Amino acid sequence: MDDRGNFLHNPPEHPGAPGWRQQHVAKRPMTTIPQILRFFLYEEAPSDVELDFLNVEAIPLRSGAHNWMIRPHSHPNHVQILMVTHGGGAITMDGVLWEITPPGLVIVPAGTVHEISFRPNTDGIVITVASAYVATTVEEDRRLLDATLTPMALTPAPDVLTAHGLLEVFEALLREFTWSGPARRMAIKSHFLRLLVIFLRLDNARKQTSSGPGRRHAAIVERFRAEIEEGFRVHKRLDHYLRRLGVSASRLHESCQIVAGTSPAALLHDRVVIEAKRLLVYSGVSVAEIAHRLGFEDPAYFSRFFSQRAGCSPRAYRVEALAHIR
């Protein structure tokens, strides 16, 4: 899209990825945005029980209600994956403008500031998935996590869509998400895992880099999130992560503030709390056992840690959450 709002065409072929066309259009100069809105779902308060899970919906459901314009915002703890089947438009991610050409696949990593301009009556499916859920799903093969860490907008060739059933996977996820059938969560997990496998196989060459301070800060936060996933059950102090990353405390703090709008300690502690909530709601183990699994030697200290960040005790949270989903 140029400065007058006209869409640009004929983007360069994606190097090293046969059958895929990269829709990177232009790079805008980074500008200072006084306030970036942060949501779980756009302009919607988070559903606390679903924070560690995912949401699947048709693109018109939210975008059509906002005149097909999604203002700059970010999802600090959630990845978004879009499959645009009709219409199209443009998306800006961390200052880089990409054209969306159907069938268009877009990945917005957690914490990425983005805005979208859809053509009227655009259709497709959007998945908003917790970073913690992605990490749990791919824990046996960390390569699959890489598919969610770099912004991209691609147009798969028709034979790619057919051979790998990409559209069918999105449609299956939407169907399972809206249908309260037996083993719903397991079905969703299996379809989502298949989606990540397709990304890995078809987009193994998508290690394109974008320059500029925004991308450098994002890269640090991506590495920090990956280290948190590896160690949050054991390591609660930032010194461990600073050594692993090889960056200064001030540099990590600056990057986290720019990309996620919060401190490194908050990102680490939020990950612990999300895991605690998941165990409280979806496991039958005691609060003391949960504390032990998360590396707390003293269950009483874990309860204080959780209460300060969740606003209630672990037991109270479990009672309220279970009542909400029954």
Side-chain angles (χ1 to χ4, degrees):
M1 179 180 287
D2 62 19
D3 293 337
R4 296 184 298 276
N6 299 316
F7 287 98
L8 303 178
H9 300 284
N10 301 318
E13 289 294 318
H14 186 302
W20 291 76
R21 190 174 60 162
Q22 178 179 290
Q23 295 299 319
H24 177 194
V25 175
K27 187 178 191 306
R28 287 179 173 171
M30 297 296 294
T31 57
T32 301
I33 302 174
Q35 181 179 11
I36 294 297
L37 303 174
R38 295 176 174 88
F39 304 111
F40 165 45
L41 298 175
Y42 184 67
E43 292 200 338
E44 182 175 309
S47 173
D48 202 26
V49 175
E50 298 289 281
L51 282 177
D52 74 321
F53 194 40
L54 50 69
N55 182 80
V56 189
E57 64 185 33
I59 288 175
L61 181 66
R62 201 168 303 271
S63 301
H66 291 88
N67 199 30
W68 307 101
M69 300 292 294
I70 303 299
R71 295 177 296 160
H73 69 289
S74 71
H75 310 276
N77 301 302
H78 293 79
V79 179
Q80 280 201 320
I81 306 170
L82 294 82
M83 187 74 227
V84 180
T85 55
H86 301 286
I91 181 170
T92 301
M93 295 184 281
D94 284 341
V96 178
L97 180 66
W98 310 71
E99 185 179 351
I100 306 172
T101 301
L105 176 65
V106 180
I107 294 183
V108 184
T112 300
V113 178
H114 59 287
E115 58 180 311
I116 310 175
S117 174
F118 286 117
R119 294 188 178 95
N121 302 315
T122 289
D123 203 358
I125 296 171
V126 56
I127 302 168
T128 305
V129 55
S131 301
Y133 181 80
V134 178
T136 300
T137 302
V138 306
E139 58 186 356
E140 294 182 2
D141 191 338
R142 290 300 302 274
R143 293 175 302 168
L144 299 174
L145 181 64
D146 294 342
T148 67
L149 296 181
T150 302
M152 70 172 183
L154 302 172
T155 299
D159 60 329
V160 171
L161 288 177
T162 302
H164 295 275
L166 189 57
L167 288 175
E168 287 80 356
V169 176
F170 275 89
E171 291 168 352
L173 277 165
L174 180 60
R175 182 169 58 251
E176 290 291 345
F177 185 79
T178 56
W179 180 51
S180 298
R184 168 179 175 262
R185 281 196 166 229
M186 289 303 296
I188 289 173
K189 182 177 181 179
S190 67
H191 289 307
F192 183 67
L193 182 58
R194 181 184 171 195
L195 186 65
L196 293 180
V197 170
I198 292 173
F199 290 169
L200 178 63
R201 291 178 176 177
L202 298 181
D203 195 32
N204 199 33
R206 72 154 184 86
K207 300 186 183 297
Q208 77 274 12
T209 58
S210 51
S211 59
R215 186 63 225 149
R216 289 195 295 271
H217 287 301
I220 290 174
V221 175
E222 287 167 9
R223 290 170 53 211
F224 181 46
R225 289 184 187 276
E227 290 293 340
I228 287 176
E229 291 301 328
E230 288 282 355
F232 76 90
R233 293 177 179 85
V234 178
H235 302 286
K236 303 296 189 293
R237 296 179 61 86
L238 284 177
D239 290 349
H240 166 80
Y241 298 98
L242 292 173
R243 288 193 299 271
R244 295 281 297 177
L245 295 170
V247 301
S248 67
S250 60
R251 182 64 181 274
L252 180 60
H253 187 274
E254 178 187 21
S255 295
C256 288
Q257 286 290 345
I258 290 174
V259 175
T262 190
S263 67
L267 283 179
L268 172 59
H269 295 161
D270 286 349
R271 180 63 184 93
V272 176
V273 170
I274 286 174
E275 186 71 7
K277 288 180 177 180
R278 186 183 70 83
L279 292 171
L280 286 166
V281 176
Y282 302 112
S283 77
V285 301
S286 67
V287 172
E289 174 61 22
I290 292 174
H292 174 73
R293 290 188 185 186
L294 295 178
F296 291 87
E297 295 182 1
D298 182 2
Y301 176 73
F302 164 72
S303 293
R304 291 194 298 273
F305 173 91
F306 183 92
S307 298
Q308 290 171 358
R309 291 158 181 83
C312 62
S313 70
R315 289 183 176 83
Y317 179 84
R318 169 175 271 170
V319 170
E320 178 66 22
L322 291 177
H324 178 75
I325 64 176
R326 281 172 182 164

